[in-house]
Amino acid sequence: MIKVTDVQDTQSSTNPVIREMSEMGHEQIVFCQDEETGLKAIIAIHSTALGPALGGTRMWNYKNELEALNDVLRLSRGMTFKASISGLNLGGGKAVIFGDAKTQKTDALMRRFGKFVETLGGNYITAEDVGMTTHDMEMVREETKHVTGIPESMGGSGDPSPVTAYGVYMGMKASAMYKWGSDSLTGKKVVVQGIGNVGMNLVKHLTEEGAIVTINDISQERLEMVAAKYRATIVVGDAVYDVDMDIYAPCALGASINDDTLSRLNCEIIAGAANNQLADEVKHGQMVMDKGIIYAPDFLINAGGLINVYSELHGYNREGALAKTKEIYNTTLEILKKSELEEITSHEAAKQIAQNRVSKALAK
Ligand code: NAD
């Protein structure tokens, strides 16, 4: 991670961005700016070893440029792992746009972003992420064909969130099988934190199976809507970490598994959709393991959306995408076994399998 002090260090002859790039193994970082539309964005291509770098665009009101840069570097590397572990012929990339998606996003800004994507000639393929809609992808499509997640009416795969939620549900069931010897979630107490596009679809699967679901979100309106629709219980604010639960499903933003929350969380499984759930992959991955909690690696179980958009590149087939997403169940079991046998964290076990595939491709 690049720190403010790294940037301020005028004595150092090493550029902190280039140093971080080589440490994390990124191929390319593109900084984009357009005065007319106010666009400020960063596109990070981590790897193209397995194929073009595909990853969504996130629009977020970052505190500063450094926060955005660290986010895009970490997210793009996660995409490499995600594509690799899912057996897809794709590399890893991601883009971030600075600003408030509700007030600062315009069609012109999205089109200008599309022009930048076009300059990369297909090395980077974009898609939706937080703060984006299928309409935004339509705007990007006006300027480049290197975009997925366009509306179904235009021959695309539409909103990937239901498929992502299905994959998370499969990963959660596999974790239950591993922990309890049965993958039934009936009667299990599950807390879903963040009931946006993915979280709400997950709540649907869980309540249909008879799980006892508690929901948490910063939007009161959303909480009331989902609670009424699926008969879920609401918990407000960070009291979410003190709820009596069997399974914690982080589906908001990253880093919710940290020193503070781990001292409070009382659960047996963590399985959710958010990217980069472990604030520190090594430290918190180990702490989770030491507490006897089964952790389903985020980049593995939230790959459904990627699998869905990957299908779009080859002529979209919903059934095929769902069948491939279902495989997350067996891959989760495989990784949990490897983790136990080799006494390494499940995150590390998943990373090793993902990295091996990339290394083999590079060696060819
Ligand atoms: P979304 O924006 O639709 O939903 C996020 C929800 O989290 C919102 O309802 C928001 O109010 C809530 N939230 C934000 N901060 C919170 C906080 N501190 N506490 C509680 N709730 C909070 O996003 P989404 O598409 O549902 O994605 C959810 C997560 O899953 C993100 O981390 C995203 O990167 C990841 N993910 C999504 C997909 C996909 O297909 N959409 C695929 C892979 C990973």
Side-chain angles (χ1 to χ4, degrees), residues 23-60:
E23 275 178 20
M24 292 182 79
H26 285 81
E27 290 178 13
Q28 202 177 358
I29 306 173
V30 185
F31 295 87
C32 316
Q33 181 172 217
D34 179 61
E35 278 189 27
E36 205 179 313
T37 56
L39 174 73
K40 268 192 173 189
I42 310 172
I43 301 171
I45 297 180
H46 178 256
S47 170
T48 54
L50 294 169
L54 194 153
T57 296
R58 172 173 293 191
M59 185 159 184
W60 192 252

Side-chain angles (χ1 to χ4, degrees), residues 58 82 129-130 160-161 164 193-199 216-219 222 251-253 273-275 302 305:
R58 172 173 293 191
K82 191 182 304 205
D129 193 60
V130 176
S161 308
T164 301
Q193 179 184 34
I195 39 154
N197 293 325
V198 179
N216 171 257
D217 202 287
I218 48 173
S219 159
R222 190 113 191 134
C251 298
L253 294 175
N275 286 309
N302 72 11

